[in-house]
Amino acid sequence: MALMQIVISPRIYQGESISPYVAEIHKYLKKTKFPHTLHDMGTIVEGKAGDLLVLARKLHELPFKKGVQRVYTTIQLDDRRDKKVSLGDKIKSVRGKMR
């Protein structure tokens, strides 16, 4: 499995919040099979690398469907194949070393 961090930034008018767009993205994610976590700077999603890349394209399109004319999306993909990884594994590993 792989982990993808995705940040989708609709380019909106000054003073407008992006939170309604983020909420739409998470409503979409809830309908999928992908485990995911929202954090203050983006979203982390777990799945097979190829499936995550297809998902990223779909998520990127959502703000356009709401009338946004420009969207800036960044993706980080951690595709580890020597062992199974899941959401929260990296945090557990670091916390275990802090004791």
Side-chain angles (χ1 to χ4, degrees):
M1 288 295 188
L3 298 175
M4 173 180 70
Q5 176 171 267
I6 186 165
V7 179
I8 301 169
S9 302
R11 297 302 182 207
I12 53 178
Y13 298 107
Q14 185 175 351
E16 188 180 2
S17 172
I18 67 166
S19 61
Y21 300 99
V22 174
E24 285 297 318
I25 289 163
H26 279 268
K27 286 179 191 175
Y28 182 90
L29 280 169
K30 281 186 177 184
K31 296 176 186 175
T32 71
K33 63 181 178 179
F34 297 98
H36 58 280
T37 301
L38 172 67
H39 59 87
D40 288 339
M41 300 295 290
T43 301
I44 299 175
V45 187
E46 177 185 331
K48 292 181 180 177
D51 295 340
L52 291 174
L53 293 168
V54 170
L55 177 66
R57 174 69 178 164
K58 291 176 183 176
L59 297 176
H60 175 79
E61 289 296 322
L62 291 176
F64 288 113
K65 292 178 180 177
K66 295 289 185 182
V68 173
Q69 294 299 304
R70 185 176 183 186
V71 177
Y72 182 80
T73 298
T74 57
I75 300 167
Q76 290 180 303
L77 187 65
D78 182 357
D79 186 8
R80 186 165 185 176
R81 297 182 181 180
D82 61 329
K83 71 176 196 175
K84 184 181 183 301
V85 295
S86 297
L87 284 172
D89 287 349
K90 292 179 181 188
I91 294 169
K92 288 177 195 170
S93 176
V94 171
R95 287 189 177 148
K97 292 172 177 74
M98 292 170 55
R99 297 177 191 181

